[in-house]
Amino acid sequence: QFTRDLPSTLFYLTRLSIHPEKKALIAEARAVIKAKVEQVKRGESPDWYVTQKGAARKLTAISATQAVEHWRKTDQPLRYVYIDSLDLTNIKSKDRAETSEQVVDAVIKYQGRIRCMRCVIGSFRASSLIFDDPEHEVQFSRTVFVDKADFGKTFVRRKKQKILGDRAAEFRRLYLNWSVFLGDANFHSVKVHGKGAKAYLPLTTFFGSIDLRNVQVDGVLEMRYLQSAQTLQMQRAKLHGSAYLGHVRARRANLSHLEVTKHELLLNSVVIEDEFQMENAHLRHGATFEHAQFNGLVTMRNGHIERSTNLSRASFKRSLIFENMSVENLVALGVSFEDTARFNGSVFKGRTAFAL
């Protein structure tokens, strides 16, 4: 049962397990994935997934060029394959248009649908590409990323200075549901825009860093049940559609300078194990922290929350610093403060309710 579906195993272990050897089991699952990758590199085809009827699906290796050829010929997703290095910026094929009209500031349009289900990717790079075809999408469902995945802006060091490497990719629809990132995930400055724009990252597990700084999502951002073993970084993100962050679990979270323009920010039932920061944020349609659990210091400072802020039944294990905030309505029914709560310099323009 442990190895029938390793991405799901890792999700449920990190999310729901109360086993006394939980950390050892997670480490074992990660080691099994890496062992299977080494088998594939040696030319073997280990079992990767077992269906509900007991049929084993083998993991086989293909090249990035073969993957692109598959996507060009059919709309069907790749399944049960290992791609050691999927660098879409280096692929030369007629899927990638390189006419002078389409090259703008080293950003290149990529025409084609990219779909992987239950695959394993070694390293991934899609920075500087534009995926804006309304009929196409980028989808990696139940896929494991073993090494670093670069979707966003990258930097290089030259003569002790940090300078821009690649620009961030742009998407119309990006799906990463149920996937697992064993390494770092870079989405710095990624844009998801255009008609029907969607960024789906629900039920996704990040063991390395997750960088969502400066992202811009004009449509739906779906991150429910996402979990991060490190800091969830969303500084200066701009969300212009629905923002679903309910049930997120992270070691730390930084949402400073976040801007949400058209819908309420939903942070209900989040669990943050350590520090949570949200400074200088502007939430134009309010925010919900109902049933949230904050186990570390919480700092909300110098922000504007229009309409309603809901802290009902939220739990603050350590101090809450709610300073110099401008808030319309504050509802905190059944909220629990186990340490100090400071509201210095904050302005509450409408109704404020604290009750059991």
Side-chain angles (χ1 to χ4, degrees):
Q1 295 292 332
F2 189 81
T3 60
R4 288 172 66 99
D5 184 357
L6 284 164
S8 296
T9 295
L10 277 171
F11 174 82
Y12 288 118
L13 276 176
T14 53
R15 181 100 199 166
L16 301 174
S17 176
I18 57 173
H19 196 283
E21 301 296 329
K22 174 180 176 177
K23 290 184 178 180
L25 290 171
I26 292 172
E28 181 181 349
R30 295 176 63 178
V32 170
I33 290 174
K34 293 182 178 180
K36 289 180 181 290
V37 167
E38 291 302 317
Q39 286 182 269
V40 174
K41 289 181 177 180
R42 294 194 300 265
E44 303 174 27
S45 297
D47 291 347
W48 178 246
Y49 173 67
V50 179
T51 68
Q52 292 183 351
K53 295 183 178 180
R57 300 289 186 253
K58 304 288 186 179
L59 188 66
T60 57
I62 65 171
S63 68
T65 302
Q66 289 174 309
V68 171
E69 290 299 317
H70 171 88
W71 292 321
R72 182 175 60 187
K73 293 176 182 178
T74 176
D75 286 338
Q76 295 300 313
L78 282 169
R79 298 176 187 268
Y80 318 116
V81 301
Y82 170 73
I83 306 172
D84 185 60
S85 178
L86 183 55
D87 187 348
L88 297 174
T89 64
N90 286 334
I91 294 297
K92 303 295 183 181
S93 76
K94 61 185 180 183
D95 273 339
R96 175 176 163 175
E98 295 181 292
T99 64
S100 58
E101 293 81 13
Q102 292 174 307
V103 179
V104 182
D105 293 333
V107 178
I108 302 173
K109 290 190 176 182
Y110 191 104
Q111 298 174 345
R113 176 175 291 180
I114 295 175
R115 300 179 68 196
C116 281
M117 296 186 69
R118 300 191 185 277
C119 297
V120 182
I121 310 294
S123 60
F124 178 83
R125 181 167 171 250
S127 301
S128 298
L129 294 176
I130 298 177
F131 303 86
D132 67 346
D133 191 319
E135 300 299 323
H136 296 148
E137 62 194 32
V138 176
Q139 178 184 13
F140 292 95
S141 296
R142 298 181 183 268
T143 293
V144 176
F145 293 83
V146 179
D147 300 316
K148 186 175 183 180
D150 276 320
F151 295 81
K153 183 187 294 186
T154 62
F155 297 89
V156 295
R157 288 194 176 273
R158 292 181 183 173
K159 296 181 180 180
K160 298 183 180 180
Q161 291 185 342
K162 192 176 181 181
I163 63 174
L164 178 65
D166 293 321
R167 294 176 181 271
E170 299 180 24
F171 301 90
R172 179 71 62 93
R173 292 191 295 272
L174 175 63
Y175 298 93
L176 297 171
N177 46 300
W178 278 102
S179 290
V180 175
F181 291 78
L182 299 181
D184 296 338
N186 170 30
F187 299 92
H188 193 300
S189 300
V190 161
K191 292 183 179 180
V192 182
H193 59 98
K195 186 177 180 180
K198 296 177 182 178
Y200 276 31
L201 292 84
L203 303 151
T204 302
T205 304
F206 295 87
F207 286 100
S209 65
I210 171 173
D211 189 349
L212 290 161
R213 291 175 294 171
N214 290 302
V215 298
Q216 176 185 321
V217 182
D218 292 348
V220 176
L221 174 62
E222 172 62 272
M223 292 174 57
R224 279 176 286 198
Y225 295 96
L226 177 148
Q227 47 196 2
S228 171
Q230 298 191 33
T231 302
L232 175 62
Q233 302 179 74
M234 292 189 69
Q235 301 96 305
R236 295 175 296 280
K238 292 180 173 59
L239 310 179
H240 302 304
S242 301
Y244 301 108
L245 278 72
H247 300 272
V248 164
R249 289 195 175 195
R251 184 176 180 183
R252 298 182 183 88
N254 192 334
L255 279 63
S256 297
H257 299 274
L258 173 69
E259 183 177 355
V260 183
T261 60
K262 296 181 179 179
H263 293 270
E264 182 182 19
L265 175 64
L266 300 178
L267 286 160
N268 53 294
S269 300
V270 299
V271 178
I272 308 298
E273 297 297 341
D274 205 333
E275 188 175 2
F276 176 85
Q277 289 180 274
M278 194 176 73
E279 302 190 36
N280 299 286
H282 190 180
L283 312 179
R284 299 185 185 180
H285 288 262
T288 292
F289 298 89
E290 191 169 2
H291 290 287
Q293 179 179 326
F294 299 99
N295 296 331
L297 176 66
V298 176
T299 304
M300 301 184 191
R301 184 185 287 130
N302 301 323
H304 298 272
I305 306 179
E306 302 175 20
R307 300 196 179 182
S308 179
T309 302
N310 187 354
L311 295 177
S312 296
R313 290 169 289 281
S315 172
F316 296 86
K317 301 293 185 182
R318 293 187 57 194
S319 296
L320 167 65
I321 301 174
F322 198 92
E323 293 184 340
N324 301 316
M325 295 288 292
S326 175
V327 179
E328 290 291 335
N329 301 309
L330 176 65
V331 180
L333 306 180
V335 65
S336 171
F337 299 108
E338 297 187 22
D339 205 325
T340 59
R342 305 205 319 249
F343 296 87
N344 303 4
S346 293
V347 177
F348 301 93
K349 300 177 182 179
R351 183 170 67 101
T352 301
F354 287 88
L356 294 177

